Amino acid sequence: MTTLMTVLGIVVFVIGLLISIAWHELGHLSTAKMFGIRVPQYMVGFGPTIWSRRKGDTEYGIKAVPLGGYIRMIGMFPPGDDGRISARSTSPWRGMIEDARSAAFEELQPGDETRLFYTRKPWKRVIVMFAGPFMNLILAVALFLGVLMGFGIASQTTTVSSVSDCVISQSAASAGKSACARTDPASPAKKAGLKAGDRITAFDGRRITDWNTLQDDIRRTTGPATITVERGGRSVVLHADLIRNQVAKTDGSGGYVQGQYVYAGFLGFTPATGIVQQGLGDSFQRMGGMVGTAVQSLVDLPERVPALWRSAFDGAPRQPDSPMGVVGAARVGGDVFSLHIPPEQRIATMLMLVAGFNLSLFLFNMLPLLPLDGGHIAGALWEAFKRNLARVFRRPDPGPFDVAKMMPVAYVVAGIFLSFTVLVLIADVVNPVKIT
């Protein structure tokens, strides 16, 4: 049964991946057609074509390898300085430029002179190239909101899981101290009579519905305070005398900053964890934290290569936040469906995985590097800047920015990305990230 659920989880993730890719390319396709650019192909996947159908002047299809997708637009690059579409050079770098320029005009038909990508205004080209990543962002936000507000996520609640017997600083607890010494004072919660299973409904007369609010109120308070709890179906009012103690620093999103501490009000209990539906404001706050984490992960990517290499070839432990490729994410999807958790939580976790994948696609594609969408956007913005500058100083129009001249750099960037992808693939196969 576990094997069957693992396979099912992988299949579901692959379907989510294909939908995400198709959705991304639909953004490019719809805006390109809106601006009158001819698009001969819309393909999901790479390699041999499994299925295709032509509608109008576009061939729609699915290919064998679900590791990406593309649309092909006529005239991605302008003709060369001599006005020719194709030429050959003995220089390998120049040859790359000419090959890219020639490929941009494949299947050129009569009447296409007015349907070329490079002839569109820069702002239209920006929209066409941005539309793909933006579709991934829309899908990520929709999935995140659906899970956070619909299914809910594991969060700390206002129900008491356990009560501390004594006052221990957070740094001492982190260092391994758990037993109370005879000289340690009893915790305020213990003195007040708080018990495991109590649900705190009010703090100092203020109604409480979520853990973040309760935690903030506790940390702002030292001295006497009333605590209203629901115990055995009835309301009980307790009187506590909170003290100032060393506690873990929070990150503002419900989490804790590892190894950092502050002094604040202390009651002395551990909240229970449960599945809690988030409000709209809390959901956007959590998503903001996810975006920040994803951006930082992208920035830190070069620093993670040595650890990834050791995991792939030296048998070093794979870190939970290690970069993953499609294969690794699919394996995690399989692990999700084999977890012994309620079915709705399996679905929610899978949706969060697909949402995270879409967020990563958006951020990665926005890097201002060719051949990524962000590289084409940067080229169009640079052209707009040069043309506006020429207009201000009444100079001749410099013409379209020739992105083809950047193709040697694009090949180098693509080579680096490909090498990294292969390294991640090896690590995902021999030493995958696992969840429990």
Side-chain angles (χ1 to χ4, degrees):
M1 188 65 178
T2 300
T3 302
L4 177 62
M5 294 305 296
T6 299
V7 172
L8 179 61
I10 293 174
V11 170
V12 170
F13 176 79
V14 170
I15 292 173
L17 171 67
L18 290 173
I19 292 173
S20 301
I21 294 169
W23 185 246
H24 173 105
E25 299 303 335
L26 181 62
H28 291 313
L29 177 73
S30 58
T31 50
K33 285 183 174 289
M34 181 175 66
F35 293 132
I37 301 166
R38 190 163 79 83
V39 184
Q41 276 191 323
Y42 167 94
M43 291 289 170
V44 177
F46 296 115
T49 301
I50 298 175
W51 171 89
S52 70
R53 177 174 296 176
R54 179 169 293 278
K55 184 177 181 181
D57 53 14
T58 303
E59 178 191 10
Y60 301 85
I62 298 175
K63 291 183 173 286
V65 184
L67 297 179
Y70 65 92
I71 68 165
R72 194 151 58 83
M73 294 181 283
I74 295 295
M76 284 290 291
F77 310 122
D81 295 333
D82 58 1
R84 297 173 64 189
I85 290 173
S86 63
R88 283 308 305 165
S89 170
T90 56
S91 165
W93 294 109
R94 185 67 190 171
M96 291 180 186
I97 297 172
E98 291 160 357
D99 287 342
R101 200 186 312 283
S102 178
F105 289 87
E106 285 182 358
E107 300 182 15
L108 192 65
Q109 299 175 355
D112 280 347
E113 295 79 8
T114 60
R115 304 182 67 187
L116 303 174
F117 176 78
Y118 83 89
T119 61
R120 296 303 180 261
K121 292 183 181 296
W123 66 268
K124 291 184 179 180
R125 278 180 276 150
V126 168
I127 290 175
V128 171
M129 300 314 297
F130 179 69
F134 185 61
M135 294 291 270
N136 290 122
L137 181 62
I138 291 174
L139 185 56
V141 170
L143 290 175
F144 278 137
L145 285 178
V147 172
L148 294 172
M149 300 180 67
F151 290 90
I153 58 172
S155 305
Q156 293 172 309
T157 68
T158 59
T159 299
V160 178
S161 174
S162 62
V163 177
S164 303
D165 290 325
C166 61
V167 177
I168 299 177
S169 69
Q170 187 62 51
S171 59
S174 300
K177 180 180 179 181
S178 58
C180 296
R182 284 188 298 178
T183 56
D184 292 332
S187 70
K190 187 78 170 179
K191 289 181 179 178
L194 197 64
K195 296 181 179 180
D198 287 348
R199 185 172 68 86
I200 299 176
T201 58
F203 183 87
D204 234 7
R206 181 185 178 188
R207 186 170 175 268
I208 296 295
T209 58
D210 63 273
W211 164 250
N212 289 336
T213 301
L214 176 60
Q215 184 184 55
D216 289 343
D217 285 351
I218 291 172
R219 292 194 170 202
R220 283 195 298 262
T221 304
T222 54
T226 58
I227 304 170
T228 305
V229 302
E230 185 180 287
R231 178 186 296 169
R234 54 193 188 87
S235 182
V236 178
V237 178
L238 305 175
H239 299 275
D241 191 8
L242 279 68
I243 63 170
R244 191 168 180 265
N245 189 30
Q246 187 189 61
V247 294
K249 183 179 179 180
T250 59
D251 59 9
S253 301
Y256 297 100
V257 180
Q258 187 175 3
Q260 296 188 31
Y261 309 99
V262 296
Y263 281 91
F266 177 77
L267 182 56
F269 75 95
T270 301
T273 299
I275 303 301
V276 180
Q277 291 180 327
Q278 309 294 303
L280 184 62
D282 290 337
S283 296
F284 274 105
Q285 185 179 12
R286 284 185 177 273
M287 282 193 293
M290 294 173 188
V291 171
T293 301
V295 170
Q296 190 60 50
S297 297
L298 196 59
V299 171
D300 295 341
L301 206 56
E303 300 176 6
R304 300 189 180 198
V305 171
L308 193 61
W309 180 276
R310 290 191 295 270
S311 297
F313 299 105
D314 298 336
R318 189 86 181 268
Q319 298 300 317
D321 60 349
S322 175
M324 280 191 303
V326 173
V327 172
R331 293 186 69 157
V332 169
D335 290 343
V336 166
F337 266 42
S338 64
L339 291 175
H340 297 291
I341 56 177
E344 60 271 17
Q345 289 308 307
R346 295 180 192 174
I347 296 172
T349 306
M350 179 64 75
L351 291 176
M352 290 290 278
L353 182 62
V354 175
F357 176 79
N358 277 271
L359 177 59
S360 297
L361 272 181
F362 168 75
L363 295 174
F364 183 72
N365 273 289
M366 289 309 295
L367 291 176
L369 299 170
L370 287 171
L372 301 176
D373 295 329
H376 289 282
I377 292 172
L381 292 176
W382 176 245
E383 177 186 324
F385 172 76
K386 288 202 307 178
R387 285 185 155 177
N388 287 325
L389 196 65
R391 190 178 298 114
V392 169
F393 289 98
R394 298 182 179 179
R395 294 175 181 173
D397 187 346
F401 175 67
D402 193 356
V403 181
K405 292 180 178 179
M406 299 298 295
M407 289 312 295
V409 177
Y411 285 127
V412 172
V413 172
I416 294 172
F417 287 161
L418 180 61
S419 299
F420 180 75
T421 300
V422 171
L423 176 60
V424 172
L425 174 63
I426 294 172
D428 285 343
V429 172
V430 303
N431 192 357
V433 174
K434 297 181 180 179
I435 61 172
T436 55

